[in-house]
Amino acid sequence: TKAFGLPNNRILGENGTISIEANAYNLFNKTNINTGCMDTTLGSVNPNGSINSINSDFGVACGGMGSRTVQLQARFSF
């Protein structure tokens, strides 16, 4: 955040300022995977050894953080 003072005049008042703020999330675009919610169920096995159903999401991690996001904000105070 950086704030800039404005000149003293009748319209803006005595304490007019403009502040500029920048927020960055996942700036370096690093993949953050939550392995605590990884799907580890392969499927069910019948008593004769055949597989009943295969889970197509086996080993897929969930809850990863999205791509990089940058927010810019300007605020005028008087």
Side-chain angles (χ1 to χ4, degrees), residues 6 8 20 22-24 31 34 40 45 55 57 61 69 71 78:
L6 297 175
N8 187 9
I20 298 172
N23 297 318
T31 303
N34 182 5
T40 58
V45 178
N55 185 3
D57 291 333
T69 304
Q71 295 177 347
F78 58 94

Side-chain angles (χ1 to χ4, degrees):
T1 303
K2 178 67 177 170
F4 302 96
L6 297 175
N8 187 9
N9 65 28
R10 195 175 63 165
I11 297 171
L12 299 176
E14 296 177 2
N15 298 323
T17 60
I18 291 179
S19 62
I20 298 172
E21 181 176 340
N23 297 318
Y25 304 99
N26 199 14
L27 183 63
F28 301 111
N29 205 21
K30 179 182 174 189
T31 303
N32 299 312
I33 296 175
N34 182 5
T35 58
C37 68
M38 185 176 288
D39 194 353
T40 58
T41 57
L42 182 59
S44 60
V45 178
N46 295 328
N48 63 0
S50 64
I51 297 176
N52 190 15
S53 64
I54 296 176
N55 185 3
S56 62
D57 291 333
F58 175 73
V60 176
C62 60
M65 189 173 184
S67 62
R68 73 179 67 98
T69 304
V70 177
Q71 295 177 347
L72 299 175
Q73 174 183 342
R75 179 179 292 173
F76 172 68
S77 302
F78 58 94

